[in-house]
Amino acid sequence: MEKPTESGYEVFLSFGGPDTRCDIADYLYNSLIRAGIRAYRDNEELPIGKEIGPELVQAIKQSEILIPILSKQYATSVWCLMELVQMVECKEKWGRKIMPIFYNVAPSEVRHQIGNYHEAINSHINKRQRYTDETIQNWKAALSKVGALRGWELNERGKGEFTEEVVRTLLIELKRTTWQNLITWLKWMIKWTKSWKR
């Protein structure tokens, strides 16, 4: 995976299934936009036998914060699993931040692939002619890594209150990232200026 160019989006939302599309994902996306956060969401479903397109991979690579909305149906979507693998790669290679939302699922369900996640992975395993063992292992590894991260849990809270908390946290995190980038740039400028004066 080549290094991303400049950041095009501040936040990338990954979600799948009717349990989130017109529900929490829509609430959150619109709240992010209203708060002035450049957010990306993909409203298309991946056709069977297709891989995620280069524009979607670019959106993931260029986003500062990656938010998978891990719902009961998330792992049934091959598209979502492929996005999750890309997110983990971006975290490991370029330090992108993954901030998961556990939407009516426990983090342990995702981390250990039990319950709905076990059923979804088994369903994909039964389609081996479409998916290699390596692909399935990559999906399971990504689920384990993201399930081990601290994230938000919706549980019994109202969606309005919940999305407010997420947006507030993201605004703080994005300011921190901006300051870190500025400090890095200033250090580079000082170093460059000193080397130029010699």
Side-chain angles (χ1 to χ4, degrees):
M1 181 187 287
E2 62 188 52
K3 187 170 182 178
T5 53
E6 64 187 57
S7 180
Y9 297 98
E10 292 170 303
V11 172
F12 179 92
L13 296 177
S14 174
F15 57 92
D19 61 337
T20 54
R21 182 173 305 284
C22 296
D23 193 46
I24 190 67
D26 191 57
Y27 275 96
L28 183 55
Y29 176 77
N30 286 299
S31 295
L32 293 170
I33 298 302
R34 277 194 300 277
I37 296 172
R38 292 184 321 276
Y40 182 94
R41 71 171 170 185
D42 184 42
N43 274 329
E44 303 300 316
E45 283 295 318
L46 181 66
I48 292 173
K50 299 283 185 177
E51 294 194 16
I52 59 175
E55 63 283 340
L56 191 57
V57 172
Q58 272 308 105
I60 293 170
K61 287 165 57 174
Q62 292 180 345
S63 296
E64 294 176 44
I65 298 174
L66 309 164
I67 301 180
I69 302 173
L70 299 153
S71 65
K72 292 180 182 193
Q73 299 298 311
Y74 187 87
T76 62
S77 167
V78 171
W79 187 297
C80 288
L81 292 170
M82 289 192 282
E83 289 177 355
L84 200 64
V85 169
Q86 290 290 318
M87 288 183 214
V88 169
E89 284 183 29
C90 287
K91 178 184 187 311
E92 291 172 350
K93 290 184 179 179
W94 302 300
R96 295 293 192 252
K97 216 174 236 348
I98 299 176
M99 300 175 83
I101 292 175
F102 299 98
Y103 184 67
N104 297 328
V105 295
S108 61
E109 234 181 295
V110 177
R111 185 171 54 253
H112 301 297
Q113 291 101 59
I114 56 177
N116 290 323
Y117 281 74
H118 176 74
E119 291 170 20
I121 293 297
N122 277 344
S123 169
H124 298 310
I125 289 171
N126 292 334
K127 300 172 187 167
R128 280 198 197 273
Q129 68 275 15
R130 283 194 204 144
Y131 313 113
T132 66
D133 288 342
E134 181 184 5
T135 298
I136 290 171
Q137 288 309 313
N138 288 341
W139 294 343
K140 290 172 85 173
L143 287 166
S144 294
K145 289 175 182 178
V146 173
L149 296 174
R150 184 167 178 265
W152 292 283
E153 293 183 58
L154 182 62
N155 296 330
E156 311 255 334
R157 296 162 53 192
K159 291 179 187 101
E161 172 195 345
F162 179 79
T163 54
E164 269 184 38
E165 178 190 326
V166 172
V167 169
R168 216 176 16 255
T169 303
L170 290 172
L171 285 168
I172 292 166
E173 193 62 42
L174 289 166
K175 282 181 185 172
R176 183 177 307 146
T177 302
T178 302
W179 279 108
Q180 287 170 340
N181 290 343
L182 179 61
I183 290 167
T184 302
W185 180 81
L186 286 172
K187 285 179 181 177
W188 179 84
M189 284 300 292
I190 291 167
K191 186 177 177 181
W192 180 79
T193 305
K194 285 181 181 176
S195 69
W196 183 73
K197 289 182 178 180
R198 291 181 190 165

